[in-house]
Amino acid sequence: MIDRKNPFSFLLICLLLFPIFVGAQKSLPSVVAEKGDGIYSLLRRYNVSPTKYYNKFVELNLERLGESESLYVGQSYLLPDTLALKKVEETSTGIIYPIFGKDFAKIDSVSNRLDDTVYYLISGHGGPDPGAVEKYEGKLISEDEYAYDVTLRLARELLSHGAEVHIIVQDGNDGIRDQRILELDTDETVLSNTIPLGQLARLKQRTEAVNDLYMKNKGKYQRLLVTHVDSRSKGTNIDVFFYHHENSKNGQRLAESIHQTFLAKYKKFQPNRVYSGTFMERSGLYLVKNTLPAMAYIEIGNIRSKLDQRRILDPDNRQALAKWISEGILLDYESSKDFTAK
């Protein structure tokens, strides 16, 4: 028992306890970012699960991160306690999804925040339609490959929080790719069905796929996310922006929630830059007009703009886009529960 009336007794107890307290504070390992590193590649190099511990890494290194949570070459970064994490990883079963590719197939559970939700994800173009095609360092790059990569990353994020996810446009041999140049191919399918050549037939095919699944899941919380890469003139760079159906309050809230998340992220990581992305009604688009679930239609950048190419081609930026969209989706779902409860 500490005698607080005797200052010497109290001081002696403090001196005895202090070394024990200090000794218990294990210092976290520090690593140095190399050229080409992003958070995901850095964590994977040190055998730390990026899906599970990305947020913890950001929390530990907030003051050392650049634009879009990027890393600085030569900067030291703290890793979470790898010994403790190793024990967690060894006892974690995870679920294997081959569609994400061998390096990303295993998904660890992060939370159950999206239990009982169903999400349909459509990446723009695909199959015989690559969308806009541009040359970068002598190689062709196309809209559909980058929209698909972001969509796969978004799907992993949602699955890690317990959602049921349906990836409508699929490519069986193109999982998540950590390269800048994503090779163009035409073997994408819609739920294993060949994608037709005509534009209207393509749009009808994916609309019917979503609507059929929607009817089978009637009564559940369901949302649709459509991801596109824009293709304006070369000099036009754009911020990420969002569309929703004019008569859908749920679609508006979904688009607005993701938009609010992007506003907050830009304010945090690019405080000297004004984020000009918007969310708006646009019911003339075929998928917006004809699909049944409440939805948000997302344009992630202009593939012809040199500035936007930096956002789209860098794999860690694509991961940041997917993560920010998923955080907006979480915000939307949790705010919808609050709205229903009122």
Side-chain angles (χ1 to χ4, degrees):
M1 182 175 178
I2 299 173
D3 183 1
R4 293 186 178 272
K5 294 181 180 179
N6 184 339
F8 295 103
S9 169
F10 182 64
L11 178 61
L12 178 60
I13 294 293
C14 288
L15 289 173
L16 287 172
L17 289 178
F18 186 70
I20 298 172
F21 175 76
V22 171
Q25 299 303 297
K26 185 175 179 179
S27 60
L28 295 174
S30 176
V31 296
V32 177
E34 300 173 3
K35 186 176 181 180
D37 269 343
I39 295 177
Y40 261 63
S41 57
L42 182 71
L43 290 177
R44 281 198 305 272
R45 187 161 71 245
Y46 291 95
N47 298 315
V48 178
S49 168
T51 303
K52 201 160 192 175
Y53 299 106
Y54 187 103
N55 288 343
K56 184 64 177 176
F57 180 91
V58 171
E59 180 186 327
L60 288 170
N61 297 284
L62 195 57
E63 302 302 321
R64 303 178 180 92
L65 298 176
E67 178 181 322
S68 299
E69 299 179 352
S70 60
L71 305 181
Y72 294 108
V73 175
Q75 171 70 55
S76 292
Y77 292 93
L78 295 175
L79 288 179
D81 186 345
T82 52
L83 291 177
L85 296 185
K86 188 175 180 183
K87 292 175 184 175
V88 173
E89 293 299 311
E90 286 172 351
T91 59
S92 175
T93 55
I95 303 176
I96 303 299
Y97 296 87
I99 193 170
F100 298 116
K102 64 178 184 179
D103 292 334
F104 296 89
K106 181 182 175 185
I107 300 181
D108 297 310
S109 175
V110 175
S111 78
N112 60 358
R113 292 169 66 188
L114 292 177
D115 276 1
D116 303 319
T117 65
V118 183
Y119 289 92
Y120 308 106
L121 307 185
I122 297 178
S123 55
H125 305 285
D129 173 27
V133 175
E134 188 66 23
K135 270 201 168 183
Y136 180 83
E137 296 182 352
K139 295 186 177 181
L140 287 178
I141 57 173
S142 64
E143 282 188 71
D144 69 321
E145 300 295 339
Y146 292 90
Y148 183 63
D149 192 73
V150 171
T151 297
L152 288 184
R153 293 170 187 271
L154 173 59
R156 286 187 91 251
E157 293 292 328
L158 299 179
L159 286 165
S160 75
H161 290 289
E164 178 183 328
V165 178
H166 296 269
I167 302 170
I168 304 302
V169 177
Q170 301 181 1
D171 188 323
N173 54 26
D174 283 345
I176 292 173
R177 291 170 282 177
D178 268 352
Q179 292 85 38
R180 293 180 66 80
I181 305 297
L182 302 183
E183 289 191 21
L184 190 160
D185 62 27
T186 59
D187 59 349
E188 292 85 8
T189 63
V190 167
L191 302 181
S192 301
N193 297 309
T194 301
I195 297 176
L197 185 62
Q199 182 187 19
L200 183 58
R202 290 197 302 272
L203 294 173
K204 282 184 175 179
Q205 182 189 50
R206 52 197 67 185
T207 297
E208 288 172 3
V210 169
N211 290 346
D212 286 348
L213 287 166
Y214 178 85
M215 295 307 294
K216 290 175 183 175
N217 287 304
K218 206 164 183 182
K220 295 182 181 179
Y221 181 95
Q222 303 182 67
R223 295 291 184 267
L224 167 63
L225 285 301
V226 179
T227 305
H228 264 263
V229 179
D230 205 41
S231 56
R232 304 185 185 196
S233 61
K234 289 191 177 184
T236 306
N237 61 292
I238 60 172
D239 279 329
V240 180
F241 61 95
F242 314 91
Y243 298 134
H244 62 88
H245 193 284
E246 62 185 352
N247 296 324
S248 173
K249 295 294 184 184
N250 289 334
Q252 178 180 342
R253 188 178 61 236
L254 174 60
E256 186 173 7
S257 295
I258 305 172
H259 179 260
Q260 286 176 350
T261 300
F262 272 72
L263 274 173
K265 294 293 186 181
Y266 270 78
K267 187 176 181 180
K268 182 176 181 181
F269 293 106
Q270 300 183 56
N272 298 319
R273 182 183 179 287
V274 176
Y275 171 64
S276 60
T278 58
F279 74 97
M280 65 187 79
E281 301 170 356
R282 189 170 174 184
S283 300
L285 294 170
Y286 189 93
L287 287 173
V288 176
K289 184 167 59 175
N290 293 289
T291 48
L292 294 174
M295 63 98 74
Y297 189 108
I298 307 169
E299 295 276 10
I300 61 174
N302 178 12
I303 198 167
R304 293 193 169 114
S305 162
K306 294 299 181 186
L307 284 173
D308 286 3
Q309 283 175 0
R310 182 175 65 176
R311 179 193 313 148
I312 298 164
L313 269 63
D314 187 290
D316 287 290
N317 285 344
R318 296 198 297 273
Q319 181 57 38
L321 284 170
K323 189 161 187 63
W324 294 2
I325 294 169
S326 73
E327 290 181 19
I329 290 169
L330 284 161
L331 174 65
D332 167 66
Y333 177 56
E334 288 169 350
S335 66
S336 73
K337 289 192 294 185
D338 293 340
F339 181 78
T340 303
K342 290 179 181 178

